[in-house]
Amino acid sequence: MWYQKKIMNVVMVALVVITIVVPYERSAFAASPVVTDVRVSQRASKTRVVFEFTRDLDFKVFILANPHRVVVDMPEVGWQLPARPLPSRVGVFETLRYGLYKPGSSRVVVDLRKPAVVKKAFLMKPAGVHKYRLVIDLAGASKSAFLRQIKLPPIEITPAGKVGFDAPKAPTQKFARVTAPKPSQVSGPEVLSRSSIVNSVAKAALRLKPQKTRKKKKEAEFIDKDIEKLTLIFRPAPRKPLKKSQNVIKTIIIDAGHGGADPGTIGRSGIYEKHITLAMARELAKKLKEAGRFKVVMTRNRDIFIPLRKRVQIARDAGASLFISLHADAVKNRKIRGPSVYTLSERASDKEAAALAEKENKSDLIAGMDLSHESQEVANILIDLAQRESMNQSALFATQLVTDLKRRTKLLRNTHRFAGFAVLKAPDIPSVLIEMGFLSNRTDERLLQTAKYREKFSGGIVAAVRSYFSNVEQAQNQ
Ligand SMILES: [Zn+2]
């Protein structure tokens, strides 16, 4: 009988699949713990946040200001939450984000509605239907109590089940506080060496370094208003010898915006910007590689958080000739749609561009990075000088992009705009940021999720990359 044969075939295939796949899958799953639930409840003045896990793990819990956040770090975990919306607006709890923070390490960021302190954080063993639980009790606190707790090292919670932290009596806190690099690491010797003008300005800038007392205030201002002026850590970018022949392999950086604990903008249907950008980045990488004369480096090729300055550093380490950052926006007016192209400028071309840069530059904050130790003034002056040249090149490439994208899709008005995007601040690499469309617009959101549109759109970028480099080569040969 034909159907018996067919059933036998299916069974055979299934058996083969089970024998091959299951042992691998089983070991893979056994190795990775999974978060199975997140619950938030309010009792009296206490907001309790509970995470349920398939295994017991090590945790680190700490708070950050501007905006007020609780950060929970843990080994890399998978997420299989129940099919219901994430909790929001319970007691001091506003919302939460989660994702891969770096390889081997996951992060949850809890946004607070007002200053709050961690009263207790502890692990509970499985009981009844519940698996391992991490319990964090939060309570609203005065600004000063909040700032006092910020100064403490992270709370460490170990699987031994001991209470890692009980607010009044500060316990053993072994871990060093996770901090951004010290200002001393954020100097720019190789930028200094670029020219004597830069050098002298840099020396003056170094003298401007704020004193300790002024520093706190400055930093607060920085985080509130000037977040776009993120600093870079300068290391010498490998210099490739200039060749004037036609077929020099150029390295192109493709930067998929956001990732991990930073989802980016959230679309009408709930789609995350970080997924849209990665899908386009992969398509673009494929196309550029097919074009033959480009080496492609992706700042990320999975759902992971990469700090903005790290993205720039990847480009410099690769000796890149072009940096393309991919994003998608969302605005209140749901009718607005279409892609636009941005290049760096300290002065934004218009209000919307400035607001957009501010939003995009919050990536590090959203993923729970502590930026309170940044010293941006020095680096800003240096970047400004060193960047003039690559800014011109960026503008040329942006113009080419607008031309080539226009042939394929309807663009936003004033398509090429300027603003202070942190991710465009490689001083020596022409860089553009493409907002591929608006996830707040139904058409854009749908288009960006189709392979066909991604193909068309990335085709436009590849065409622009090719024309840009042939123009550069022509100019060099003249
Ligand atoms: Zn974005």
Side-chain angles (χ1 to χ4, degrees), residues 236-461:
R239 290 265 161 213
K240 295 212 166 146
L242 270 176
K243 286 181 213 156
K244 292 196 174 175
S245 80
Q246 283 284 314
N247 295 318
V248 183
I249 298 283
K250 303 281 185 191
T251 300
I252 319 283
I253 306 295
I254 302 175
D255 175 48
H258 312 276
D262 167 24
T265 251
I266 299 169
R268 288 188 71 166
S269 68
I271 186 95
Y272 287 169
E273 181 186 350
K274 64 176 181 177
H275 293 134
I276 297 280
T277 61
L278 184 55
M280 187 69 84
R282 284 176 175 158
E283 178 64 26
L284 177 57
K286 198 183 104 204
K287 278 215 154 56
L288 276 172
K289 279 179 203 158
E290 282 166 6
R293 45 177 294 207
F294 304 112
K295 188 186 160 209
V296 175
V297 175
M298 295 174 77
T299 53
R300 68 178 182 98
N301 194 6
R302 58 194 288 214
D303 185 15
I304 186 169
F305 169 74
I306 313 276
L308 295 175
R309 88 163 73 71
K310 174 86 203 247
R311 295 170 191 258
V312 176
Q313 192 62 55
I314 291 170
R316 305 194 75 231
D317 288 348
S321 299
L322 204 52
F323 181 94
I324 303 171
S325 189
L326 299 171
H327 287 259
D329 198 6
V331 286
K332 271 208 184 110
N333 183 345
R334 293 178 162 193
K335 284 185 189 148
I336 294 178
R337 55 164 302 214
S340 47
V341 179
Y342 291 81
T343 53
L344 181 73
S345 162
E346 286 303 320
R347 222 186 252 172
S349 56
D350 52 71
K351 252 193 208 158
E352 288 81 41
L356 177 69
E358 203 185 314
K359 202 157 72 179
E360 297 290 9
N361 290 344
K362 281 196 172 133
S363 175
D364 290 355
L365 276 184
I366 284 164
M369 269 181 78
D370 181 7
L371 301 174
S372 58
H373 293 265
E374 297 287 356
S375 147
Q376 67 290 345
E377 280 146 280
V378 177
N380 270 345
I381 296 167
L382 301 179
I383 292 165
D384 199 41
L385 283 169
Q387 244 159 8
R388 296 263 152 90
E389 187 188 317
S390 59
M391 270 159 79
N392 293 338
Q393 288 301 312
S394 305
L396 285 176
F397 176 54
T399 310
Q400 192 64 52
L401 257 176
V402 171
T403 310
D404 282 306
L405 287 175
K406 211 187 266 172
R407 289 192 182 126
R408 288 162 174 85
T409 181
K410 194 177 173 341
L411 300 177
L412 192 67
R413 243 188 280 166
N414 304 325
T415 304
H416 177 199
R417 306 190 198 190
F418 314 88
F421 291 94
V423 81
L424 301 182
K425 287 192 172 180
D428 44 5
I429 304 166
S431 308
V432 301
L433 185 144
I434 306 175
E435 292 284 347
M436 303 180 287
F438 291 86
L439 299 184
S440 42
N441 176 275
R442 213 182 281 282
T443 310
D444 273 3
E445 192 192 34
R446 184 180 50 79
L447 281 176
L448 283 164
Q449 288 179 71
T450 66
K452 204 176 156 199
Y453 185 74
R454 284 197 293 267
E455 215 185 306
K456 195 159 89 170
F457 194 89
S458 57
I461 302 176

Side-chain angles (χ1 to χ4, degrees), residues 193-235:
S193 65
R194 286 180 69 129
S195 79
S196 59
I197 306 166
V198 179
N199 199 1
S200 60
V201 174
K203 275 180 188 158
L206 286 165
R207 281 197 298 275
L208 285 175
K209 214 161 79 173
Q211 296 305 303
K212 268 225 160 155
T213 40
R214 273 180 58 206
K215 219 172 127 192
K216 276 281 159 207
K217 201 176 152 229
K218 283 271 167 199
E219 281 164 359
E221 277 172 17
F222 155 58
I223 295 207
D224 284 341
K225 295 179 207 148
D226 270 339
I227 188 73
E228 77 259 30
K229 292 176 178 171
L230 288 174
T231 56
L232 303 172
I233 307 170
F234 289 116
R235 270 191 272 132

